[in-house]
Amino acid sequence: MKETHNLEYKEQITNSFLKTVSAFSNYDGGKIIFGIADDGTEKPLSDPVKNCLAIENAINDSITPQPDFSLAVNEEKGTVTLTVHEGVAKPYLYKSKAYKRNDTATIEVDSLEFTRLALKGKNLKYEDLPAENQNLTFSFLEKKFREIAGVEVFDDNILKTLSLRSQKDGFNNAAALLSDQNDFPGIDVAKFGENISIIKKRATFEHRSVLESYENALSFYKDFYEYEEIKGAVRSTVQTVPEAAFREAVANALIHRTWDVSSAIRILMFDDKIQVISPGGLPSGLTEAEYMQGKISVLRNPVLANVFYRLGIVEIFGTGVLRILETYRQSLVKPKFEITDNSISVELPVVQTELNLSADERTVYDALSKNIRKSISEITAAVPFGKSKTGEILNALAESGYVSVSGNGRGTKYALS
């Protein structure tokens, strides 16, 4: 077994393992097995019981605050397994420094990440911190609550009820985000032509309430993806990209992004799709599968999310991805989600209810099915093309959203989206 993000091997006991103890305590927990080389080769310890005591003493003497860990000795194999659990009293420090895992390596966190760990240790979020500017006005927020929520009197009591202001600390960062003027990054949106070198229209919505930026982005969307169609005496509105999906993607980008980085939400508009890219990956404790399935809701900015919920913009229960997918239920091409450590990208394609394929693409498409994943060899056996051309066509179909791809290398499988 190879080393992983949550598993490290140590041939001998040196102080370097204490950095990994800090990393596991600060984030997702993990195991360190002593008596195994980096490549997985067994290198039994001469006295695992004595070494176990040395490991325990080193942790107790060097890591602050006290981490949550356990030790298990296997005298037969000559190993000691150290299991470290993620702690609640973050940050956990070794020599006054906090660490994290980067793939299979352990590295020191930067100042921004250190601040985030300290906030978690105090059970605080960035939006809870006092705003730098306390001279805030809320004309746009008041307007929305009067129009949508039917609030007649918008005063300090409303702001306190919304957790935007406290008697002790005044306005917080969530209040600043919703204020009429602020210094937070906003939304940068651009409509491209045939390629990214041709920009037909561009706008940046910033230094205003995030609610206003949200509505500005919707107006921008309507200029390119919504039009009136008249058939006989009937006039109807046609949306090439579902407005409900776009609203959900932008709203979720605003309420789930990290606000402590100076980076705007980017909305890239093309003739065949829209991409919404928000800074910050998934909140700690939420896996990609849980995010996609909407099973668990972990709110990075719960105060901001509550305001959007009260105004009927989003559901509070983390169903954003499912709601986006539902708008494409009748479309042959589906939305795509790309998640990294530092960003979440949502791609909303133009709805297609009819296949737009060449003859060769149609041949390969017909060789696939929705519920059975096939290898390229199985597909090639069912079509009149060689493996190379079949692979090119499959890649084109995947790029267009008609085909989903899983696995890699020889384990790559294809199926209809």
Side-chain angles (χ1 to χ4, degrees), residues 28-39:
D28 304 319
K31 290 184 178 182
I32 305 174
I33 303 179
F34 298 87
I36 299 180
D38 292 344
D39 61 3

Side-chain angles (χ1 to χ4, degrees), residues 147-408:
E147 290 178 354
I148 300 172
V151 171
E152 295 182 0
V153 178
F154 192 90
D155 54 15
D156 255 14
N157 290 328
I158 295 292
L159 294 171
K160 290 175 182 177
T161 299
L162 295 173
S163 300
L164 301 177
R165 183 170 188 169
S166 70
Q167 196 68 36
K168 178 184 176 182
D169 298 319
F171 293 119
N172 55 25
N173 281 333
L177 286 164
L178 292 160
S179 68
D180 297 320
Q181 290 185 320
N182 59 66
D183 295 325
F184 287 100
I187 299 176
D188 187 12
V189 56
K191 174 63 173 70
F192 297 95
E194 296 177 359
N195 54 62
I196 58 174
S197 299
I198 302 173
I199 301 177
K200 291 185 174 181
K201 186 177 180 180
R202 184 172 184 176
T204 300
F205 310 123
E206 59 184 356
H207 307 315
R208 67 194 74 182
S209 169
V210 292
L211 289 170
E212 186 175 0
S213 294
Y214 169 75
E215 292 202 351
N216 291 152
L218 292 181
S219 296
F220 200 104
Y221 152 89
K222 289 177 182 291
D223 288 343
F224 298 99
Y225 300 94
E226 188 174 288
Y227 62 90
E228 294 289 321
E229 184 177 71
I230 301 174
K231 291 184 177 180
V234 179
R235 179 190 296 268
S236 60
T237 300
V238 178
Q239 299 167 355
T240 55
V241 171
E243 181 182 345
F246 181 75
R247 283 177 174 271
E248 196 73 32
V250 176
N252 277 277
L254 287 166
I255 65 176
H256 291 300
R257 65 155 290 173
T258 53
W259 286 103
D260 54 1
V261 294
S262 184
S263 179
I265 292 169
R266 299 175 63 208
I267 302 178
L268 312 179
M269 296 181 168
F270 303 89
D271 291 341
D272 62 341
K273 64 188 175 185
I274 300 175
Q275 288 179 310
V276 180
I277 306 169
S278 59
L282 294 176
S284 179
L286 185 67
T287 67
E288 184 171 341
E290 290 166 341
Y291 168 78
M292 293 298 299
Q293 295 167 11
K295 290 183 176 180
I296 299 177
S297 177
V298 179
L299 296 175
R300 179 175 275 125
N301 304 293
V303 176
L304 192 60
N306 179 54
V307 172
F308 273 62
Y309 171 70
R310 286 172 178 261
L311 293 174
I313 298 173
V314 299
E315 292 288 344
I316 205 72
F317 303 111
T319 57
V321 172
L322 300 181
R323 293 174 75 187
I324 289 173
L325 292 173
E326 177 60 24
T327 63
Y328 280 86
R329 189 161 51 90
Q330 302 298 329
S331 177
L332 293 171
V333 290
K334 307 296 182 182
K336 296 179 183 178
F337 301 85
E338 183 179 350
I339 301 168
T340 69
D341 290 341
N342 299 309
S343 68
I344 295 178
S345 174
V346 181
E347 182 176 297
L348 306 174
V350 168
V351 170
Q352 291 186 31
T353 55
E354 296 181 2
L355 290 173
N356 182 23
L357 303 176
S358 68
D360 290 349
E361 288 174 335
R362 183 73 203 214
T363 300
V364 173
Y365 184 91
D366 289 342
L368 295 164
S369 63
K370 203 165 200 175
N371 300 319
I372 301 175
R373 295 194 169 275
K374 298 180 179 181
S375 68
I376 190 170
S377 297
E378 292 173 314
I379 299 166
T380 302
V383 299
F385 313 123
K387 195 171 184 179
S388 178
K389 183 174 180 178
T390 301
E392 292 176 1
I393 295 173
L394 285 168
N395 290 335
L397 291 171
E399 182 66 27
S400 299
Y402 294 124
V403 168
S404 64
V405 185
S406 61
N408 53 67

